[in-house]
Every structure is written in C-alpha cells, then in structure tokens.
Amino acid sequence: FKTVFIHGLVRDDKGRKMSKSLGNGIDPLEMAEQYGADALRFNLITGNSPGNDMRFYVEKCEAMRNFANKIWNASRFVMMNLTIDKVELPEKLELEDKWILSKLNTLIREVTDNMDAFELGVASAKIYDFIWDTYCDWYIELTKTRLNGEDEAAKLELLRILELLHPFMPFITEEIWQALPHEGDYLIRAKWPEYHSAFDFRAEEQAMEAVKDAISAVRARRAEMNVPPSKKAQMIIVSDHAEDYRLGEHFIKRMAYASELTVTDASPADLTGLVTVVTHGANV
C-alpha cells in the first residue's frame, strides 16, 4: 500500500472496548439493515478524528438516516418541480444563486483540502452542515416561489452536492445521480468537483448572509413573543449597508412575515412601542 490510514477504535456508548465477554459488540450488518449502509458509514466517518477512539451511538445512526431522508426529499422536490433535460448555469444568476454557488465553491475547496489531508471527519461534517442548513433549509426555501421547469442553477448545485457526498454515502448519491442528466456511466467514475474563482461572489454572499441573519433574528423574536406567522408586522431595517437588505427585500418580507418593509441608514427618532432586534449588520 502507498498510503495507510490508521484510525482509532470504535468503542461502545460507555467508552468500553467492544468484546464478546462483555456482550457489547455491534453487528454492522444489523445496523445497515435497520438504518441503511449509508447512514452507518456516515455515522462512523463523522465521528472520526485522527488519533482518537470514537464512541458508537445508535441514536446517531438514526440521525444519519434522517439526513439521508433529507437529501432524498430535497432531490425529489427539485426533480418534481423542474424539467431536467440538461444541467448548466443560466445566463442570469439571481442573488440567492450567486450566494449558494459561492458557498458551494468554498465548500469544494475546503473539502478537497480536508480529503487530501485525510481529515475525513472534518470534510464530512462540512458537507453535512452545507446540505442540511444552507441548501435544504435556506436555498430551497428561498427559491420555492420561482422553482419551475427551467431553473438550471438548482440542477447544477444538486449534481455538485451529490459528487461531494458520494465518497461518504455512495448508495443514495448514486441512485439520485442516475435520475439526473449526467456524463459517464457511474457517479463513482465521475470527475471530482473543482474550485472555480469565477464563482467567488463575495459581495452577493455578504448581502445574502445579512438578509439571512435578519430573517432568523426576527423569526426568533416572534417565536419568543408567540406571534403567529399569519400576523404580519411593519418592519424597518437600519443599517450602514442598506443596499444589501434592499437586494433581499422580497425574501425578508416573505420569510420574516413583514406587511411593509423600509430599509434606511438612519434610525427613527421615536422608537416608542417598537420591538427592536439587533443583528450583526443591522437594527430591525
């Protein structure tokens, strides 16, 4: 072998070494049968850090099965709403497209570096966070109103995500990849995604992150105050980077339940009766 990767022991949930005498062993075939081979595999990889033993928790297998379900459902949603006969970027990219492409581009670079350094646990954790939070919880939600037959950006992102995840979860990614237009016969033989400096949309990424922060902060405050989504509120955003919020104005109105939105760089003179939420870049 040219390369040997030495990992720690897989111990039980109490930190004890698995042994027949203790009867605390885990049958991987049973785990794969119950939760899926991909979930078992991803569980072991995400808990892996060089030089350390890891504890095996059955609950984590359940969490990884839920992750696989999340990928499956997100892919189904994209494929059900789009006519997928080709995969390429459109000429005009929206703010949310540039944001997700920039984040994905950074992810490709970082995961490639982690894989080259055999930091498998770090790489898999970054992919997990990107898919669950950035792609599923935010990007799909942001694009729901515009998803129709010709949204090429969403198709390309889905392909790149499957390619990144394939070494960690080979079965589900291969299954979904085969349902998309692709080059070659199998995903395992497909080209590894590459970093492209043309997809570094720093300004748009900064603007979208500011918009996300504002939406999250307002939602959290509304939840604290038990305000239902049906009850919309007038909203004023005060920021030195007002243009960033104007770019994402329609997202804020829809996802932060605003009946009316004003973006300004000057705070109102009278704040009596107003609920104030402070984010990293603005007062709302």
Side-chain angles (χ1 to χ4, degrees):
F1 299 98
K2 291 181 181 177
T3 307
V4 178
F5 182 80
I6 300 172
H7 60 80
L9 286 173
V10 179
R11 298 180 177 271
D12 70 6
D13 56 359
K14 295 181 178 65
R16 300 172 303 178
K17 188 174 177 179
M18 293 185 187
S19 69
K20 284 184 180 179
S21 58
L22 284 173
N24 63 340
I26 300 286
D27 186 340
L29 293 178
E30 286 182 10
M31 290 290 107
E33 182 68 30
Q34 188 171 356
Y35 300 105
D38 279 336
L40 173 63
R41 180 188 180 103
F42 206 72
N43 177 2
L44 292 169
I45 292 172
T46 50
N48 187 306
S49 59
N52 292 322
D53 292 350
M54 66 165 287
R55 297 188 182 194
F56 185 90
Y57 296 98
V58 173
E59 295 80 10
K60 199 173 162 197
C61 266
E62 291 180 27
M64 295 312 166
R65 180 187 59 190
N66 295 342
F67 177 56
N69 287 340
K70 187 94 168 174
I71 298 161
W72 185 264
N73 290 331
S75 303
R76 277 189 64 203
F77 178 80
V78 170
M79 288 191 265
M80 282 167 59
N81 285 280
L82 302 179
T83 305
I84 303 182
D85 51 7
K86 61 180 179 177
V87 179
E88 59 186 25
L89 281 179
E91 289 182 17
K92 184 178 183 299
L93 291 169
E94 302 295 340
L95 171 67
E96 63 273 24
D97 295 330
K98 290 182 177 179
W99 166 70
I100 195 75
L101 285 168
S102 189
K103 299 277 282 185
L104 179 58
N105 201 39
T106 302
L107 180 74
I108 289 169
R109 184 189 65 209
E110 290 181 356
V111 167
T112 303
D113 290 344
N114 292 141
M115 296 278 274
D116 288 343
F118 298 97
E119 296 166 343
L120 307 184
V122 176
S124 60
K126 286 179 180 175
I127 296 171
Y128 177 94
D129 290 341
F130 178 87
I131 293 173
W132 190 285
D133 184 50
T134 307
Y135 187 74
C136 293
D137 286 358
W138 278 101
Y139 182 70
I140 288 180
E141 190 64 34
L142 290 167
T143 56
K144 268 184 179 175
T145 55
R146 61 167 244 222
L147 271 184
N148 52 46
E150 300 304 321
D151 197 347
E152 278 90 1
K155 306 170 192 174
L156 183 81
E157 291 140 15
L158 181 56
L159 267 185
R160 292 294 89 83
I161 287 168
L162 294 173
E163 289 161 3
L164 279 177
L165 185 61
H166 186 64
F168 305 99
M169 300 183 87
F171 299 105
I172 190 172
T173 49
E174 185 74 68
E175 183 77 17
I176 299 168
W177 189 81
Q178 290 294 343
L180 294 164
H182 56 265
E183 294 179 8
D185 48 3
Y186 296 109
L187 176 52
I188 197 168
R189 294 180 182 169
K191 190 178 179 184
W192 180 254
E194 291 181 350
Y195 171 84
H196 294 287
S197 57
F199 291 153
D200 276 350
F201 301 111
R202 299 291 171 88
E204 289 83 355
E205 188 176 337
Q206 178 183 313
M208 198 67 234
E209 289 296 330
V211 168
K212 268 183 61 199
D213 286 348
I215 293 169
S216 296
V218 170
R219 280 179 160 183
R221 179 56 58 88
R222 286 173 66 99
E224 287 169 10
M225 298 174 68
N226 294 316
V227 181
S230 57
K231 185 161 180 157
K232 299 190 183 299
Q234 283 184 292
M235 199 178 296
I236 302 167
I237 295 181
V238 183
S239 174
D240 293 335
H241 304 282
E243 189 54 38
D244 288 350
Y245 297 93
R246 291 193 184 100
L247 286 170
E249 195 169 318
H250 55 299
F251 295 131
I252 298 170
K253 286 186 76 171
R254 176 166 64 89
M255 297 175 72
Y257 317 114
S259 58
E260 189 182 317
L261 178 63
T262 305
V263 182
T264 176
D265 55 6
S267 186
D270 183 13
L271 295 174
T272 308
L274 300 183
V275 176
T276 304
V277 179
V278 180
T279 73
H280 179 67
N283 288 344
V284 186

